[in-house]
Amino acid sequence: IIMLTAKVEETHKIKALTHGADDYITKPFSPLELIARVKSILRRGPLSASPSTLQHNDLTLNLDQRIAYIDGNAIDLTTIQFSLLHFFMTKPNKAFTRDQLISAIWGQNCYIDERTIDVQIKRLRDKLKPHDYHHCIKTVHGFGYQFIEKPA
C-alpha cells in the first residue's frame, strides 16, 4: 500500500505507516518517483497469500467458498455461524466476551443484543453435535465463549 496524499503533517505519515502502509508520498510528486517507489516495494519479493483453508483435526473451513467440512462432509452453516467458527478457529483457546464477538462478527458500530451471540452459539453447536465437535465451543461462565482444540 502506497499512500498518495496532500497531507504533509508528520502525524499523518506516522499513522499511515503504523497502520500498514508500505510508503507515503505527498503531493506534488513526480511520476518517476512513484515508479521508483513501486519497484522498491516489488523488490521485497512476492506477497504471501493467505491460506484458503483452515483446519483442526477433521474440521476444515474452505475460506474461498465459505463452506465447513467435517470428515469431508459439508456442514450447512449460515454466514454468521461460519464467521463465528472461523473467528474461533483462528484464535483457539482464547476466551472472548459477547461484546468482542459482536464486534468481530457484525462490526464495531452494530447494536445487537448480547443474547444474539448465545442463540448463534447454540445453533452452531447443534450443527456440530452430530460430528462430536460441539464440545469445542466452550462456555466460559460469567465471561463468554472460547474454542477449545479437540484432541486428535
Side-chain angles (χ1 to χ4, degrees), residues 99-143:
D99 282 338
Q100 289 172 320
L101 292 170
I102 289 169
S103 293
I105 305 305
W106 283 277
Q108 293 279 345
N109 297 322
C110 191
Y111 301 102
I112 293 178
D113 187 79
E114 286 186 348
R115 296 299 167 198
T116 302
I117 288 293
D118 299 336
V119 171
Q120 292 298 329
I121 294 289
K122 183 196 177 308
R123 290 177 181 168
L124 177 58
R125 283 179 177 153
D126 288 346
K127 291 184 179 180
L128 296 175
K129 189 171 186 170
H131 308 279
D132 199 32
Y133 271 85
H134 61 293
H135 296 295
C136 289
I137 300 174
K138 180 182 173 195
T139 301
V140 180
H141 292 286
F143 189 77

Side-chain angles (χ1 to χ4, degrees), residues 15-73:
K15 186 175 181 181
L17 294 170
T18 57
H19 282 85
D22 295 299
D23 205 345
Y24 191 98
I25 304 173
T26 58
K27 294 178 183 178
F29 59 89
S30 156
L32 294 175
E33 177 186 6
L34 176 61
I35 291 169
R37 289 177 185 253
V38 169
K39 287 181 180 179
S40 173
I41 290 172
L42 291 175
R43 279 195 300 272
R44 295 180 190 169
L47 298 174
S48 59
S50 59
S52 61
T53 60
L54 191 60
Q55 185 153 0
H56 172 67
N57 294 338
D58 298 327
L59 175 60
T60 304
L61 297 185
N62 182 317
L63 304 177
D64 294 332
Q65 297 176 347
R66 296 191 58 83
I67 299 174
Y69 297 94
I70 297 178
D71 286 327
N73 299 313

